[in-house]
C-alpha cells in the first residue's frame, strides 16, 4: 500500500495512504477548489459521478440539524395601556440571535402568560425583528384585520391566559438581530394587558405569578 507523507518542519508528518482493498480500476477523487466554511463536510457531488470518478464538494453535515439554541425566561411583570388595535412600544421579551447562514431557518417558540386590567378583553402577540414585525410569523392579510402570531380573550381579570406559538422563519442576515415579542390590543377600546400576573391581583394565594419564555433554534432545513 503506497502512501504520501506530508512532513512537518519538526520531523513528524501526516500520511495519506492508498485504499485498503484493491479496487477493480483506478479511482479518481477530485477535491473542491475552495476550503469551504466552518462546520461543513466533504461529500460526493451529484455531477460527473461514476464507479471510478467522483467530484467532492463542501456541504452541510446531514446529521447536524440544530446548529445553535438560545433561550430566555423572565419572571418580570409587564403592563402597557394600549389604544384600540395598537401595538406595545416596549418589548415583553427580547433575545439577540446571530444565524450562521441565511439559507438556514429559525424555529422560534414563544410562550407568554397574559391578563388584562378589564375583563373580557382580547389581546394578541407578534414577533418582531429589530423593531419590525416578522411577516412570516403573523396571519394572512385580510382587510383591516389585525395580523398577529397568537391571540386569546381574558375573561376574568384574576386569571391569566397562555399565548403559545411557534414560527418557522428565515433569518434576515448573519448579523446579530434582536428578536422580540410585543403585545397587541385586539379590543375596540383602550386596554391594558399584563404579563406574568393577573390584571386585578392583590396579595392573595388565588392570584398567580408566572413565567414567559422565548427559544430560538437555528435549523438546517
Amino acid at each position: 500500500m503506497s502512501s504520501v507523507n506530508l512532513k512537518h518542519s519538526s520531523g513528524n508528518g501526516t500520511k495519506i495512504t492508498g485504499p485498503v482493498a484493491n479496487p477493480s480500476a483506478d479511482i479518481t477523487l477530485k477535491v473542491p477548489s475552495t476550503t469551504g466554511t466552518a462546520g461543513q463536510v466533504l461529500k460526493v457531488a451529484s455531477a460527473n459521478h461514476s464507479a471510478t470518478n467522483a467530484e467532492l464538494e463542501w456541504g452541510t453535515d446531514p446529521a447536524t440539524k440544530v446548529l445553535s439554541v438560545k433561550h430566555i425566561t423572565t419572571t418580570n411583570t409587564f403592563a402597557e395601556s394600549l389604544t384600540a388595535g395598537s401595538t406595545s412600544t416596549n418589548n415583553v421579551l427580547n433575545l439577540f440571535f446571530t444565524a450562521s447562514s441565511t439559507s438556514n431557518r429559525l424555529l422560534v417558540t414563544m410562550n407568554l402568560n397574559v391578563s388584562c386590567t378589564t375583563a373580557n378583553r382580547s389581546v394578541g402577540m407578534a414577533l418582531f425583528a429589530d423593531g419590525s414585525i416578522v411577516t412570516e410569523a403573523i396571519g394572512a392579510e385580510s382587510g383591516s384585520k389585525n395580523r398577529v402570531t397568537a391571540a386569546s380573550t381574558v375573561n376574568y381579570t384574576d386569571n391569566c391566559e397562555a399565548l403559545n406559538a411557534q414560527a418557522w422563519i428565515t433569518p434576515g442576515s448573519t448579523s446579530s438581530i434582536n428578536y422580540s415579542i410585543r403585545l397587541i390590543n385586539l379590543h375596540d377600546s383602550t386596554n391594558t394587558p399584563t404579563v406574568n400576573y393577573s390584571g386585578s391581583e392583590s396579595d392573595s394565594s388565588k392570584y398567580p405569578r408566572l413565567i414567559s419564555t422565548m427559544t430560538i433554534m437555528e435549523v438546517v432545513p
Side-chain angles (χ1 to χ4, degrees), residues 106-178:
L106 301 182
L107 180 62
V108 185
T109 303
M110 296 155 278
N111 304 280
L112 293 188
N113 284 293
V114 302
S115 186
C116 292
T117 57
T118 304
N120 299 315
R121 301 291 174 94
S122 295
V123 60
M125 70 175 181
L127 179 66
F128 283 72
D130 284 341
S132 297
I133 198 165
V134 179
T135 56
E136 291 177 292
I138 56 176
E141 196 169 352
S142 177
S144 59
K145 297 180 177 66
N146 222 324
R147 303 166 65 191
V148 298
T149 305
S152 186
T153 298
V154 179
N155 294 314
Y156 305 100
T157 60
D158 59 355
N159 199 4
C160 289
E161 298 289 334
L163 297 183
N164 302 315
Q166 285 188 325
W168 183 248
I169 67 172
T170 304
S173 74
T174 54
S175 300
S176 179
I177 294 177
N178 183 15

Coordinates of all heavy atoms in Angstrom, one line a residue, residues 106-178:
L106 N -35.0 29.5 11.2 CA -35.1 29.7 12.6 C -36.5 29.2 13.1 O -37.5 29.6 12.6 CB -34.9 31.2 13.0 CG -33.6 31.8 12.6 CD1 -33.6 33.3 13.1 CD2 -32.4 31.0 13.1
L107 N -36.4 28.4 14.1 CA -37.7 27.9 14.8 C -37.8 28.7 16.1 O -37.0 28.5 17.0 CB -37.6 26.4 15.1 CG -38.9 25.8 15.8 CD1 -40.1 26.0 14.9 CD2 -38.6 24.4 16.1
V108 N -38.8 29.6 16.1 CA -39.0 30.5 17.3 C -40.2 30.0 18.1 O -41.3 29.9 17.5 CB -39.1 31.9 16.9 CG1 -39.2 32.8 18.1 CG2 -38.0 32.4 15.9
T109 N -40.0 29.7 19.4 CA -41.0 29.2 20.2 C -41.3 30.3 21.3 O -40.4 30.8 21.9 CB -40.6 27.9 21.0 OG1 -40.3 26.9 20.0 CG2 -41.8 27.4 21.8
M110 N -42.6 30.7 21.3 CA -43.0 31.9 22.2 C -44.1 31.4 23.2 O -45.0 30.8 22.8 CB -43.5 33.0 21.3 CG -42.5 33.6 20.4 SD -43.2 34.4 18.9 CE -43.4 33.0 17.9
N111 N -43.9 31.8 24.4 CA -44.9 31.5 25.5 C -45.0 32.7 26.4 O -44.1 33.0 27.2 CB -44.4 30.3 26.3 CG -44.2 29.0 25.4 OD1 -45.1 28.3 25.0 ND2 -42.9 28.8 25.1
L112 N -46.2 33.3 26.3 CA -46.5 34.5 27.2 C -47.7 34.1 28.0 O -48.7 33.6 27.5 CB -46.8 35.7 26.4 CG -45.7 36.4 25.6 CD1 -46.2 37.8 25.1 CD2 -44.4 36.6 26.4
N113 N -47.7 34.5 29.3 CA -48.8 34.4 30.2 C -49.4 35.8 30.4 O -48.7 36.7 31.0 CB -48.5 33.8 31.5 CG -48.3 32.3 31.4 OD1 -49.2 31.6 31.1 ND2 -47.0 31.8 31.6
V114 N -50.6 36.1 29.9 CA -51.2 37.4 29.8 C -52.5 37.5 30.6 O -53.2 36.5 30.7 CB -51.4 37.9 28.4 CG1 -50.0 37.9 27.6 CG2 -52.4 37.1 27.6
S115 N -52.8 38.7 31.0 CA -54.1 39.0 31.6 C -54.4 40.5 31.2 O -53.7 41.1 30.3 CB -54.1 38.9 33.1 OG -55.3 39.1 33.7
C116 N -55.5 41.0 31.7 CA -55.9 42.4 31.4 C -56.5 43.0 32.7 O -57.0 42.3 33.6 CB -57.0 42.5 30.3 SG -56.3 42.0 28.7
T117 N -56.4 44.3 32.8 CA -57.0 45.0 33.9 C -58.5 45.2 33.8 O -59.2 45.5 34.8 CB -56.4 46.4 34.1 OG1 -56.6 47.2 32.9 CG2 -54.9 46.3 34.4
T118 N -59.1 44.9 32.6 CA -60.5 44.9 32.4 C -60.9 43.5 31.9 O -60.3 43.0 31.0 CB -61.0 46.0 31.5 OG1 -60.5 47.2 32.0 CG2 -62.5 46.0 31.4
A119 N -62.0 43.0 32.3 CA -62.5 41.6 31.9 C -63.0 41.6 30.4 O -63.3 42.7 29.9 CB -63.5 41.1 32.8
N120 N -63.0 40.5 29.9 CA -63.5 40.2 28.5 C -62.8 41.1 27.5 O -63.5 41.7 26.6 CB -65.0 40.5 28.5 CG -65.7 39.5 29.4 OD1 -65.5 38.3 29.4 ND2 -66.7 40.1 30.2
R121 N -61.5 41.1 27.5 CA -60.7 41.9 26.5 C -59.8 40.9 25.8 O -59.2 40.0 26.4 CB -59.9 43.0 27.2 CG -60.7 44.0 27.9 CD -61.5 44.8 27.0 NE -62.4 45.8 27.6 CZ -62.1 47.0 27.9 NH1 -60.9 47.5 27.6 NH2 -63.0 47.8 28.5
S122 N -59.6 41.1 24.5 CA -58.8 40.2 23.7 C -57.4 40.9 23.5 O -57.3 42.1 23.3 CB -59.4 40.0 22.3 OG -60.6 39.2 22.5
V123 N -56.4 40.0 23.6 CA -55.0 40.5 23.4 C -54.3 39.5 22.6 O -54.5 38.3 22.6 CB -54.3 40.7 24.8 CG1 -54.3 39.4 25.6 CG2 -52.9 41.2 24.7
G124 N -53.4 40.0 21.7 CA -52.6 39.2 20.9 C -51.1 39.5 21.1 O -50.7 40.5 21.8
M125 N -50.2 38.7 20.5 CA -48.8 38.9 20.5 C -48.3 38.8 19.1 O -48.9 38.1 18.2 CB -48.1 38.0 21.4 CG -48.0 36.6 21.0 SD -47.0 35.6 22.1 CE -47.1 33.9 21.4
A126 N -47.1 39.4 18.8 CA -46.5 39.3 17.5 C -45.0 39.3 17.7 O -44.4 39.9 18.6 CB -46.9 40.4 16.6
L127 N -44.3 38.6 16.7 CA -42.9 38.5 16.7 C -42.3 39.6 15.9 O -42.7 39.9 14.8 CB -42.4 37.2 16.2 CG -40.9 36.9 16.1 CD1 -40.3 36.8 17.5 CD2 -40.6 35.6 15.3
F128 N -41.2 40.3 16.5 CA -40.6 41.4 15.8 C -39.1 41.1 15.6 O -38.5 40.3 16.4 CB -40.7 42.7 16.6 CG -42.1 43.3 16.5 CD1 -43.2 42.8 17.1 CD2 -42.2 44.5 15.7 CE1 -44.4 43.4 16.9 CE2 -43.4 45.1 15.6 CZ -44.6 44.6 16.2
A129 N -38.4 41.7 14.6 CA -37.0 41.5 14.4 C -36.4 42.9 14.2 O -36.8 43.6 13.3 CB -36.7 40.7 13.2
D130 N -35.6 43.4 15.1 CA -35.0 44.7 15.1 C -36.1 45.8 15.0 O -36.0 46.8 14.2 CB -34.0 44.9 14.0 CG -32.7 44.2 14.3 OD1 -32.4 43.9 15.5 OD2 -31.9 43.9 13.4
G131 N -37.2 45.6 15.7 CA -38.3 46.6 15.7 C -39.3 46.5 14.6 O -40.3 47.3 14.6
S132 N -39.1 45.6 13.7 CA -40.1 45.4 12.6 C -40.8 44.1 12.7 O -40.2 43.0 13.0 CB -39.4 45.5 11.2 OG -38.8 46.7 11.0
I133 N -42.1 44.0 12.4 CA -42.9 42.8 12.6 C -42.4 41.8 11.6 O -42.1 42.1 10.4 CB -44.4 43.1 12.5 CG1 -45.2 41.9 13.0 CG2 -44.8 43.4 11.0 CD1 -46.7 42.3 13.3
V134 N -42.3 40.5 12.0 CA -41.9 39.4 11.1 C -43.1 38.9 10.4 O -44.0 38.2 11.0 CB -41.2 38.3 11.9 CG1 -40.8 37.2 11.0 CG2 -40.0 38.9 12.7
T135 N -43.2 39.1 9.1 CA -44.4 38.8 8.4 C -44.6 37.3 8.2 O -45.7 36.8 8.1 CB -44.4 39.4 7.0 OG1 -43.2 39.0 6.3 CG2 -44.5 40.9 7.1
E136 N -43.5 36.5 8.3 CA -43.6 35.0 8.3 C -44.3 34.5 9.6 O -44.7 33.3 9.6 CB -42.3 34.4 8.1 CG -41.6 34.6 6.8 CD -40.2 34.0 6.7 OE1 -39.3 34.6 7.4 OE2 -40.0 33.1 6.0
A137 N -44.4 35.3 10.6 CA -44.9 34.8 11.9 C -46.2 35.4 12.3 O -46.6 35.3 13.4 CB -43.9 35.2 13.0
I138 N -47.0 36.0 11.3 CA -48.3 36.5 11.6 C -49.3 36.0 10.5 O -48.9 35.4 9.5 CB -48.3 38.1 11.6 CG1 -47.8 38.6 10.3 CG2 -47.5 38.6 12.8 CD1 -47.9 40.1 10.2
G139 N -50.6 36.2 10.8 CA -51.6 35.6 9.9 C -51.7 36.4 8.6 O -51.0 37.4 8.4
A140 N -52.5 35.8 7.7 CA -52.6 36.3 6.4 C -53.4 37.7 6.4 O -54.2 38.0 7.2 CB -53.4 35.3 5.5
E141 N -53.0 38.5 5.4 CA -53.7 39.8 5.3 C -55.1 39.7 4.8 O -55.4 38.9 3.9 CB -52.9 40.6 4.2 CG -53.2 42.1 4.2 CD -52.2 42.9 3.4 OE1 -51.3 42.4 2.9 OE2 -52.5 44.1 3.2
S142 N -56.0 40.4 5.5 CA -57.4 40.3 5.2 C -58.1 41.6 5.7 O -58.5 41.8 6.8 CB -58.1 39.1 5.9 OG -59.5 39.0 5.7
G143 N -58.3 42.5 4.7 CA -58.9 43.8 5.0 C -58.2 44.6 6.1 O -57.0 44.7 6.1
S144 N -58.9 45.0 7.1 CA -58.4 45.8 8.2 C -58.1 45.0 9.4 O -57.8 45.5 10.5 CB -59.3 47.0 8.5 OG -60.6 46.5 8.9
K145 N -58.2 43.7 9.3 CA -58.0 42.8 10.4 C -56.5 42.9 10.9 O -55.6 43.0 10.1 CB -58.3 41.4 10.1 CG -59.8 41.1 9.7 CD -60.0 39.7 9.4 CE -61.5 39.4 9.1 NZ -61.9 40.1 7.8
N146 N -56.4 42.8 12.2 CA -55.1 42.9 12.9 C -54.4 41.5 12.7 O -54.9 40.5 13.1 CB -55.2 43.2 14.3 CG -54.1 44.2 14.7 OD1 -53.0 44.2 14.3 ND2 -54.4 45.1 15.6
R147 N -53.2 41.5 12.2 CA -52.4 40.2 11.9 C -51.5 40.0 13.1 O -50.7 40.8 13.5 CB -51.6 40.3 10.6 CG -52.5 40.6 9.4 CD -51.7 41.1 8.2 NE -50.8 40.0 7.8 CZ -49.8 40.1 6.9 NH1 -49.5 41.3 6.4 NH2 -49.1 39.1 6.5
V148 N -51.7 38.9 13.8 CA -50.9 38.5 15.0 C -50.3 37.1 14.9 O -50.7 36.3 14.0 CB -51.8 38.7 16.3 CG1 -52.2 40.1 16.4 CG2 -52.9 37.7 16.2
T149 N -49.5 36.8 15.8 CA -48.9 35.5 15.9 C -49.8 34.5 16.7 O -50.0 33.4 16.4 CB -47.5 35.5 16.6 OG1 -46.7 36.4 15.8 CG2 -46.8 34.2 16.6
A150 N -50.4 35.1 17.8 CA -51.3 34.3 18.6 C -52.2 35.3 19.4 O -51.8 36.4 19.6 CB -50.6 33.4 19.6
A151 N -53.4 34.8 19.8 CA -54.3 35.7 20.5 C -55.2 34.9 21.4 O -55.4 33.7 21.2 CB -55.2 36.5 19.5
S152 N -55.8 35.6 22.4 CA -56.8 35.0 23.3 C -57.6 36.1 24.0 O -57.2 37.2 23.9 CB -56.0 34.1 24.4 OG -57.0 33.4 25.2
T153 N -58.7 35.7 24.6 CA -59.6 36.6 25.3 C -59.4 36.3 26.8 O -59.5 35.2 27.2 CB -61.0 36.4 24.9 OG1 -61.2 36.8 23.5 CG2 -61.9 37.4 25.7
V154 N -59.2 37.4 27.6 CA -59.1 37.3 29.0 C -60.5 37.5 29.6 O -60.9 38.7 29.6 CB -58.0 38.3 29.6 CG1 -58.0 38.2 31.1 CG2 -56.7 38.0 29.0
N155 N -61.1 36.5 30.0 CA -62.5 36.6 30.5 C -62.6 37.1 31.9 O -63.5 37.8 32.3 CB -63.2 35.2 30.4 CG -63.4 34.8 29.0 OD1 -63.8 35.5 28.1 ND2 -63.1 33.5 28.7
Y156 N -61.6 36.8 32.7 CA -61.6 37.2 34.1 C -60.2 37.9 34.5 O -59.2 37.3 34.2 CB -61.8 36.0 35.1 CG -63.1 35.3 34.7 CD1 -63.0 34.1 34.0 CD2 -64.3 35.8 35.2 CE1 -64.2 33.4 33.7 CE2 -65.5 35.1 34.9 CZ -65.4 33.9 34.1 OH -66.6 33.3 33.8
T157 N -60.3 39.0 35.2 CA -59.0 39.7 35.5 C -58.2 39.1 36.6 O -57.0 39.5 36.7 CB -59.3 41.2 35.9 OG1 -60.2 41.2 37.0 CG2 -60.1 41.9 34.7
D158 N -58.8 38.1 37.3 CA -58.0 37.5 38.3 C -57.3 36.2 37.7 O -56.8 35.4 38.5 CB -58.8 37.1 39.5 CG -60.0 36.2 39.2 OD1 -60.2 36.0 38.0 OD2 -60.7 35.8 40.1
N159 N -57.4 36.0 36.4 CA -56.8 34.9 35.8 C -55.8 35.3 34.7 O -55.8 36.5 34.3 CB -58.0 34.0 35.2 CG -57.6 32.6 34.9 OD1 -56.5 32.2 35.2 ND2 -58.4 31.8 34.3
C160 N -55.1 34.3 34.2 CA -54.2 34.6 33.1 C -54.5 33.6 31.9 O -54.9 32.4 32.2 CB -52.7 34.4 33.5 SG -52.2 35.7 34.6
E161 N -54.2 34.0 30.7 CA -54.3 33.1 29.6 C -52.9 32.9 29.0 O -52.1 33.8 28.9 CB -55.2 33.8 28.5 CG -56.6 34.0 29.0 CD -57.4 32.7 29.1 OE1 -57.0 31.7 28.4 OE2 -58.4 32.6 29.9
A162 N -52.7 31.7 28.4 CA -51.4 31.4 27.8 C -51.4 31.7 26.3 O -52.3 31.1 25.6 CB -51.0 29.9 28.1
L163 N -50.5 32.5 25.9 CA -50.4 32.7 24.4 C -49.1 31.9 24.0 O -48.0 32.3 24.4 CB -50.2 34.2 24.1 CG -51.3 35.2 24.4 CD1 -51.0 36.6 24.0 CD2 -52.6 34.7 23.8
N164 N -49.3 30.9 23.2 CA -48.3 30.0 22.8 C -48.2 29.9 21.3 O -49.3 29.8 20.6 CB -48.5 28.6 23.4 CG -48.5 28.6 24.9 OD1 -47.7 29.2 25.5 ND2 -49.5 27.8 25.4
A165 N -47.0 29.9 20.7 CA -46.9 29.8 19.3 C -45.5 29.4 18.9 O -44.5 29.6 19.6 CB -47.3 31.2 18.6
Q166 N -45.4 28.8 17.7 CA -44.1 28.6 17.1 C -44.1 29.2 15.7 O -45.1 29.2 15.0 CB -43.8 27.1 16.9 CG -43.4 26.4 18.3 CD -43.0 25.0 18.1 OE1 -43.5 24.3 17.2 NE2 -42.0 24.5 18.9
A167 N -43.0 29.7 15.3 CA -42.8 30.3 14.0 C -41.6 29.8 13.3 O -40.5 29.7 13.9 CB -42.8 31.9 14.1
W168 N -41.7 29.5 12.0 CA -40.6 29.0 11.2 C -40.2 30.1 10.2 O -40.9 30.4 9.2 CB -41.1 27.7 10.4 CG -40.2 27.0 9.6 CD1 -40.2 26.9 8.2 CD2 -39.1 26.1 10.0 NE1 -39.2 26.0 7.8 CE2 -38.5 25.6 8.9 CE3 -38.5 25.8 11.3 CZ2 -37.4 24.7 8.9 CZ3 -37.4 25.0 11.3 CH2 -36.9 24.4 10.2
I169 N -39.1 30.8 10.5 CA -38.8 32.0 9.8 C -37.4 31.9 9.1 O -36.6 31.1 9.5 CB -38.9 33.2 10.7 CG1 -37.8 33.2 11.7 CG2 -40.3 33.3 11.3 CD1 -37.7 34.5 12.5
T170 N -37.2 32.8 8.2 CA -35.9 32.9 7.5 C -35.1 34.0 8.2 O -35.6 35.1 8.4 CB -36.1 33.3 6.0 OG1 -36.9 32.3 5.4 CG2 -34.7 33.4 5.3
P171 N -33.8 33.8 8.6 CA -33.0 34.8 9.2 C -32.7 35.9 8.2 O -32.4 35.6 7.0 CB -31.7 34.1 9.6 CG -31.7 32.8 8.8 CD -33.1 32.5 8.6
G172 N -32.9 37.1 8.6 CA -32.7 38.2 7.6 C -31.2 38.5 7.3 O -30.9 39.1 6.2
S173 N -30.3 38.1 8.1 CA -28.9 38.3 7.9 C -28.1 37.4 8.8 O -28.7 36.7 9.7 CB -28.5 39.8 8.1 OG -28.5 40.1 9.5
T174 N -26.8 37.5 8.7 CA -25.9 36.8 9.6 C -25.3 37.7 10.7 O -24.4 37.3 11.4 CB -24.8 36.1 8.8 OG1 -24.1 37.0 8.0 CG2 -25.3 34.9 8.0
S175 N -25.9 38.9 10.8 CA -25.6 39.8 11.9 C -26.5 39.5 13.1 O -27.5 38.8 13.0 CB -25.7 41.2 11.4 OG -24.9 41.5 10.3
S176 N -26.1 40.1 14.2 CA -27.0 39.9 15.4 C -28.3 40.6 15.2 O -28.3 41.8 14.9 CB -26.2 40.4 16.6 OG -27.0 40.3 17.8
I177 N -29.4 39.9 15.4 CA -30.7 40.5 15.3 C -31.5 40.4 16.6 O -31.4 39.4 17.3 CB -31.5 39.8 14.2 CG1 -30.9 40.1 12.8 CG2 -33.0 40.3 14.2 CD1 -31.6 39.3 11.7
N178 N -32.2 41.5 17.0 CA -32.9 41.4 18.3 C -34.3 41.0 17.9 O -35.2 41.7 17.4 CB -33.0 42.8 18.9 CG -33.7 42.9 20.2 OD1 -33.9 41.8 20.8 ND2 -34.0 44.0 20.7

